[in-house]
């Protein structure tokens, strides 16, 4: 995967031109959402034939979707017996979100210090687009822009290793972060939280940006618990 190097500015136009999701990725997302909500519990077998029938596809995209679930820790492979849903404890989830919060806080801090004016303007534009989608209640569009917003902050660090590391951890938490938007008015509240981060980055306030992002991630963590009930 290629990331923006320290000498390259953030290219907002290219960030928007994302490839369409594959069938396997869409199936993975649906299964991951069901796992987060408890609709598919820990230890449940991910039967390829049954899932292929359910989604109306061949076993190939099902097999790839399961492989992707394994890659983010949502499924566990069993030799010659297929995969089962992994058991993610509350303690483990707390640990993952604690690391995510600190990584994103560091990204926000670095971006406040290193983002040039044009990148800050691009970040502001993404934030405003997020606000428009939230106001219209366009969930899927908002979630795509939400990812672009956070990725712009990762890339704004101009530290390729930190960008790679943060994206890697985010991938593991992505299904939980998607689930938060089932909570009451999370779209609009998320925009308010993002606004505090953007304002701190724009004024070059590294400590303020880091703290605003930590608070945002803590609210996301709490919202996940509300969705899981």
């Amino acid at each position: 995967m290629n990331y923006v190097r320290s000498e390259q500015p953030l290219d907002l136009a290219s960030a928007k031109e994302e490839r369409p999701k594959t069938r396997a990725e869409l199936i993975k997302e649906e299964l991951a959402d069901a796992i987060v909500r408890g609709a598919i519990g820990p230890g449940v077998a991910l039967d390829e034939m049954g899932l292929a029938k359910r989604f109306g596809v061949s076993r190939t995209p099902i097999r790839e979707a399961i492989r992707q679930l394994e890659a983010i820790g949502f499924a566990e492979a069993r030799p010659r017996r297929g995969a089962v849903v992994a058991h993610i404890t509350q303690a483990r989830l707390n640990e993952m979100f604690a690391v995510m919060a600190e990584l994103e806080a560091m990204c926000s801090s670095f971006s406040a210090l290193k983002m040039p004016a044009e990148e800050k303007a691009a970040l502001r534009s993404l934030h405003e687009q997020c606000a428009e989608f939230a106001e219209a209640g366009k969930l899927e569009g908002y979630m795509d822009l939400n990812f672009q917003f956070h990725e712009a902050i990762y890339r704004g660090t101009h530290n390729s290793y930190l960008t790679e590391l943060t994206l890697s951890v985010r991938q593991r938490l992505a299904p939980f972060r998607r689930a938060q938007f089932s909570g009451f008015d999370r779209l609009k509240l998320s925009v308010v939280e993002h606004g505090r981060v953007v304002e701190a980055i724009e004024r070059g306030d590294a400590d303020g940006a880091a703290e605003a992002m930590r608070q945002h991630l803590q609210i996301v963590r709490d919202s996940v618990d509300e969705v899981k009930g």
Side-chain angles (χ1 to χ4, degrees):
M1 187 175 293
N2 294 321
Y3 298 102
V4 175
R5 299 297 174 182
S6 60
E7 67 274 10
Q8 294 177 313
L10 173 67
D11 185 350
L12 181 60
S14 64
K16 289 182 178 180
E17 296 173 359
E18 295 185 346
R19 64 170 176 78
K21 293 178 181 177
T22 65
R23 185 169 297 180
E25 288 170 336
L26 292 170
I27 293 170
K28 183 263 291 185
E29 284 187 0
E30 186 167 336
L31 290 174
D33 287 345
I35 292 169
V36 169
R37 299 173 197 283
I40 306 177
V44 172
L46 295 170
D47 175 59
E48 290 183 11
M49 291 189 65
L51 290 171
K53 183 177 180 180
R54 169 183 167 184
F55 287 102
V57 297
S58 71
R59 293 175 65 177
T60 299
I62 297 297
R63 193 173 296 118
E64 174 59 20
I66 292 173
R67 188 197 66 77
Q68 291 178 20
L69 288 173
E70 291 171 354
I72 62 173
F74 271 57
E76 297 174 349
R78 301 178 303 174
R80 296 179 297 279
R81 291 187 296 166
V84 298
V85 175
H87 180 54
I88 303 174
T89 65
Q90 286 290 95
R92 177 68 168 175
L93 195 55
N94 287 338
E95 291 173 349
M96 293 167 72
F97 264 100
V99 171
M100 185 83 263
E102 289 307 310
L103 285 172
E104 293 219 22
M106 186 183 299
C107 287
S108 300
S109 176
F110 278 30
S111 289
L113 298 175
K114 296 187 177 184
M115 263 191 177
E118 63 270 21
E119 290 186 16
K120 290 180 179 179
L123 182 66
R124 168 61 69 176
S125 177
L126 273 173
H127 173 58
E128 291 173 352
Q129 290 177 66
C130 282
E132 292 173 4
F133 274 76
E135 187 64 33
K138 296 180 179 179
L139 179 59
E140 287 298 326
Y142 181 85
M143 288 192 293
D144 288 341
L145 283 170
N146 178 62
F147 178 80
Q148 292 181 44
F149 173 83
H150 282 270
E151 187 177 18
I153 294 175
Y154 308 161
R155 294 176 183 270
T157 66
H158 293 276
N159 183 311
S160 60
Y161 181 72
L162 179 57
T163 300
E164 290 177 29
L165 184 60
T166 308
L167 282 168
S168 176
V169 176
R170 184 189 172 92
Q171 182 186 28
R172 288 180 171 268
L173 280 170
F176 291 103
R177 295 180 72 154
R178 281 175 57 88
Q180 67 165 311
F181 294 116
S182 297
F184 177 73
D185 224 12
R186 269 306 293 157
L187 289 183
K188 293 181 181 178
L189 292 174
S190 178
V191 170
V192 173
E193 295 153 22
H194 284 178
R196 299 187 185 111
V197 177
V198 173
E199 289 167 6
I201 289 175
E202 287 177 330
R203 63 176 181 265
D205 180 0
D207 291 342
E211 185 55 30
M213 185 60 83
R214 284 193 193 95
Q215 291 176 7
H216 172 52
L217 266 293
Q218 182 57 57
I219 294 170
V220 172
R221 173 69 186 91
D222 294 341
S223 297
V224 170
D225 278 346
E226 292 176 9
V227 170
K228 291 175 67 178

